[in-house]
Amino acid sequence: MNPGPAGPARVTPFVLSGVTADRETAEGWARWRVTRHAFVAAPDLDLAAYRLLSPRARGLHDLHRAATHANLAFQETPMSVAVTRLLGARISANALKRQPTTRAGVMINGGGYQGKTETACEVAASFEDQWLDLHAQLNPDAVPGTRDLHAPVAYAQTPVTATPKGICEAVLDFYGADHAKMTLPQLVQQVRAALRDHGTTVLILDDITRLKMHREADQDALDLLRSLMSMNVTLVLIGVGIPGSGLLREGRRDPRTGVLLNPPAGRGKSYNDEAATQTERRFDLVHLDPFSFDTPKAKTAWTAHLAGVEQQLRLLDRTPGMLTTGTMPEYLFRRTAGIVGLLERLIEDGCTDAIDTGAERLTTDQLDGLDINLGNLPATHLVDERPAIPTGDRTARKGRNTVFDEQTPTTAAATTAIA
């Protein structure tokens, strides 16, 4: 905020655009990439400074606060950091390869509302920023005499009915390429030409578990994805329940290391068991899990995340430790099961209620009256992506803070039990 000439402070102006960047087009992706960190949060005023504002300035400030709570900055978690490191290293290494060998891809697995898509898109956008700067915003492999659109990263959602033609059309739609009345071989050729001509080095396919491998068309689609990996492109597949979807053969986690172990290929009911190894050997599978609350280290990480969220809130009666002291960390974990998307929804709704009622702070009693409602998600959102919302006793235990207490196996199980 800037001090005015006569004393009262002026609210920093901000603009609310009614258009949301559509990352499924090259233009929309570019717009999102260059503006993804452009939002400016509302000034952090206390009640005394707020009362000095004119009625109109208060209204604008309240609107800016609401926008701030609806656009909380993306925060890394210990789990997303592991994904970022693997994905960033794989994209960079593949982009520098010059041998005509197949590029290894990455599969990101995790439950709904855990930040898989945002984590992958942020890594890809950061790579594209550096790649464009390295090549002076130009396509280093452009065809002489042409001015092809340079798109180092392409993002598409897997169609609801995932067929080879549907996947090709979704990728071509990103570039705005015409694909009317094309046969499958023509579509495949068009996709390969589009990836090459636009200098695309990273192809992200979201909701990949729409591919159900019991259908022959889906097996053909998987063959198509493998063929795209030979186009010097890092293929990034994002989905829920990837290990059990058939994209990789059913495996189990090693309880000691947490690594997914796949059994050796054998002669089963699949039309081509041996071909499955071409997938598992060409992809790194990484899991993006929610927070846990069963060890002191896990509790510390959860509390640190809450501290980052708290600093972004613009409530007039916000006090240090509002989300991180007392029983609040344990309460918020119970309400959200450690899922960052559910936490964001609960905090956003809580801040709206706190402003509307004049409470201007978050408490467990106030949050008890709010339900986490995911019913207003877009119709295109997968049902499988919607996480189970914890139910049961919402009331936090009163008394001393037990957040950092050592837990026995019995109490740990009780604490982490989510309905």
Side-chain angles (χ1 to χ4, degrees), residues 242-254 259-270 272-281 285:
I242 288 179
S245 68
L247 293 174
L248 293 169
R249 288 199 308 277
E250 187 69 38
R252 63 178 179 83
R253 279 184 187 268
D254 187 312
V259 175
L260 186 73
L261 302 177
N262 289 296
R267 296 186 178 277
K269 296 181 179 180
S270 171
N272 191 348
D273 284 338
E274 296 296 334
T277 62
Q278 296 184 23
T279 304
E280 66 185 34
R281 293 173 184 173
L285 177 63

Side-chain angles (χ1 to χ4, degrees), residues 12-18 39-40 64 67:
T12 301
F14 71 105
V15 177
L16 291 176
S17 172
F39 181 79
V40 178
H64 198 170

Side-chain angles (χ1 to χ4, degrees), residues 222-264:
L222 187 56
D223 289 336
L224 169 66
L225 298 182
R226 295 191 191 108
S227 71
L228 296 180
M229 298 176 71
S230 65
M231 287 295 299
N232 301 335
V233 170
T234 300
L235 198 56
V236 182
L237 308 181
I238 305 171
V240 176
I242 288 179
S245 68
L247 293 174
L248 293 169
R249 288 199 308 277
E250 187 69 38
R252 63 178 179 83
R253 279 184 187 268
D254 187 312
R256 296 171 300 173
T257 64
V259 175
L260 186 73
L261 302 177
N262 289 296

Side-chain angles (χ1 to χ4, degrees), residues 165-184 186-188 190-191:
K165 291 187 66 174
I167 292 177
C168 288
E169 290 168 350
V171 174
L172 292 175
D173 284 340
F174 177 85
Y175 301 108
D178 182 25
H179 52 71
K181 299 182 180 179
M182 286 188 177
T183 63
L184 178 58
Q186 290 172 329
L187 284 170
V188 172
Q190 187 78 341
V191 168

Side-chain angles (χ1 to χ4, degrees), residues 59-139:
L60 288 174
H61 183 64
D62 289 342
L63 182 61
H64 198 170
R65 289 198 291 158
T68 299
H69 299 147
N71 295 278
L72 296 177
F74 177 78
Q75 288 188 187
E76 285 192 329
T77 67
M79 296 73 69
S80 69
V81 167
V83 175
T84 297
R85 288 175 178 171
L86 173 63
L87 181 58
R90 179 68 62 236
I91 290 175
S92 297
N94 285 349
L96 297 174
K97 289 181 182 295
R98 287 297 174 263
Q99 300 93 336
T101 56
T102 299
R103 284 8 180 199
V106 176
M107 290 184 177
I108 303 177
N109 177 68
Y113 259 44
Q114 289 174 193
K116 302 182 301 298
T117 298
E118 294 309 313
T119 298
C121 287
E122 180 63 32
V123 173
S126 297
F127 161 78
E128 185 169 355
D129 289 340
Q130 298 173 0
W131 193 252
L132 291 173
D133 183 64
L134 179 64
H135 295 98
Q137 310 298 311
L138 301 176
N139 184 353

Side-chain angles (χ1 to χ4, degrees), residues 139-160:
N139 184 353
D141 300 316
V143 178
T146 66
R147 298 182 63 185
D148 288 325
L149 169 69
H150 188 198
V153 176
Y155 172 88
Q157 285 196 345
T158 305
V160 175

